[in-house]
Amino acid sequence: MKTVTEVLKSATARLEVGAVENPRLDAEILLAHVLKWRRLSLYVDAEKTLPLESILRFNELVNRRLEGIPVAYLVGSKEFMGLSFAVNQNVLIPRPETEILTEFVGEYLRGLGGEVNFADLGVGSGAICISMLKFVKSARASAVDISNEALAVAKFNASKFHVEDRIKFFCGDLLKPLEGQKFNVIVSNPPYIPTLELKKLQIEVKLEPQLALDGGEDGLSFYRRIISDAPRFLVDGGLLAVEIGINQASAVRKLFEQENFVDVTILKDLSGIERIIAGRN
Ligand code: GLN
């Protein structure tokens, strides 16, 4: 009979040998998932012995992790803004740096006060959009994605977090399905990795939907379309805020300026990388 401590120790060692980036953390998340425990309980009950069946299921997940499948897909969820979003292989796994975009836009909407609306282009799992609805109770959202499979995940999350009455879903290409509407804010974390670089990325990112990552030859093709179309869909003074990839800030700032956006602001992520750019119409 093996204890929690022993099981975690041997899995961590296997993951480490397999060059997994956060071996101990991944082992803990996977074991907590199998046992339906909180991660903290792995410490509180570290000396408990585990049933063989749980150990076998856990080892199976560790094997799949060693094949390169991200932990979030293995457990079917990912924490974002303190909420546990359902995810599957049809959506990009929400990244911690995207919380900066969400907080920034959330604060802006809260500052406007009253009835406010926003559009989220490429909603994916719904992480940005649903967190904002959760934190800004007076807001309504239009969520667009080109993938029906992704929209199914976002719809699931909208009901999980009880915001389905304040969100409308559209299947389509960026702003196209929103023709005729005006928003206080347009937010997007579009695909921004240059096509050739995407091919070089580690296996884990390759298992995520390429549709959510491939930003065309120079990584900027979605920004060109979003930024040139956005003014028609924004109220006067409305805000466009997007996440950007590494070294894209100056090119994207130029696109904002070409379309006469004002107060163009760039925010850095926790690693000091210019990650968010926003401007007012
Ligand atoms: N931040 C993601 C990555 O580097 C990319 C997300 C995107 O293309 N919007 O894997």
Side-chain angles (χ1 to χ4, degrees):
M1 293 291 263
K2 283 193 174 161
T3 64
V4 169
T5 304
E6 289 162 347
V7 167
L8 276 178
K9 200 172 160 203
S10 64
T12 303
R14 284 179 63 213
L15 291 168
E16 205 162 0
V17 172
V20 168
E21 210 171 314
N22 300 300
R24 173 75 192 193
L25 177 65
D26 286 7
E28 288 182 11
I29 296 173
L30 294 175
L31 186 59
H33 173 73
V34 167
L35 299 174
K36 300 197 171 68
W37 291 7
R38 290 170 177 278
R39 251 176 70 214
L40 183 64
S41 309
L42 300 174
Y43 289 85
V44 177
D45 292 321
E47 297 318 312
K48 263 200 184 157
T49 54
L50 295 176
L52 185 60
E53 194 203 337
S54 302
I55 297 179
L56 292 177
R57 279 190 50 219
F58 171 61
N59 284 338
E60 186 50 38
L61 288 180
V62 172
N63 290 342
R64 295 183 64 203
R65 181 71 194 96
L66 283 166
E67 287 162 16
I69 302 174
V71 171
Y73 289 154
L74 292 174
V75 303
S77 66
K78 175 74 184 179
E79 287 278 313
F80 183 84
M81 299 293 288
L83 305 170
S84 175
F85 283 89
V87 295
N88 64 27
Q89 297 224 11
N90 296 311
V91 296
L92 187 81
I93 299 166
R95 308 285 201 265
E97 56 268 30
T98 307
E99 295 185 345
I100 299 171
L101 176 65
T102 310
E103 277 168 13
F104 176 76
V105 175
E107 285 301 316
Y108 175 86
L109 282 173
R110 218 198 286 261
L112 290 179
E115 298 257 307
V116 285
N117 71 344
F118 67 94
D120 181 352
L121 311 179
V123 67
S125 65
I128 299 174
C129 179
I130 292 166
S131 308
M132 293 207 309
L133 290 174
K134 210 75 195 115
F135 297 117
V136 190
K137 300 284 183 217
S138 62
R140 293 182 173 276
S142 292
V144 182
D145 209 286
I146 202 155
S147 155
N148 260 316
E149 291 78 12
L151 284 173
V153 177
K155 283 176 190 169
F156 178 89
N157 282 318
S159 36
K160 176 171 183 191
F161 296 111
H162 312 293
V163 298
E164 67 271 43
D165 52 336
R166 290 189 285 134
I167 182 166
K168 282 198 181 123
F169 292 97
F170 299 86
C171 186
D173 191 10
L174 301 178
L175 285 158
K176 273 192 194 146
L178 305 179
E179 205 58 64
Q181 299 186 53
K182 295 257 186 200
F183 299 94
N184 298 105
V185 173
I186 296 172
V187 64
S188 184
N189 174 17
Y192 56 63
I193 302 180
T195 308
L196 281 178
E197 256 167 60
L198 194 52
K199 294 200 171 41
K200 289 188 252 158
L201 285 181
Q202 49 186 348
I203 165 101
E204 278 150 60
V205 180
K206 285 193 185 144
L207 290 171
E208 300 194 64
Q210 303 302 290
L211 205 56
L213 292 165
D214 188 343
E217 200 175 332
D218 62 357
L220 301 176
S221 62
F222 288 88
Y223 301 115
R224 291 198 183 87
R225 293 176 49 210
I226 292 171
I227 296 166
S228 67
D229 288 345
R232 274 196 298 129
F233 293 85
L234 284 171
V235 300
D236 278 347
L239 184 84
L240 171 64
V242 294
E243 182 173 313
I244 53 176
I246 202 156
N247 296 330
Q248 292 178 333
S250 61
V252 178
R253 176 194 275 277
K254 272 200 197 104
L255 295 172
F256 269 79
E257 286 166 356
Q258 274 165 19
E259 296 298 331
N260 303 315
F261 278 89
V262 292
D263 300 340
V264 178
T265 308
I266 295 173
L267 301 180
K268 291 184 178 165
D269 67 17
L270 297 175
S271 330
I273 296 170
E274 293 174 317
R275 185 59 72 186
I276 311 300
I277 180 156
R280 291 191 25 256
N281 185 30

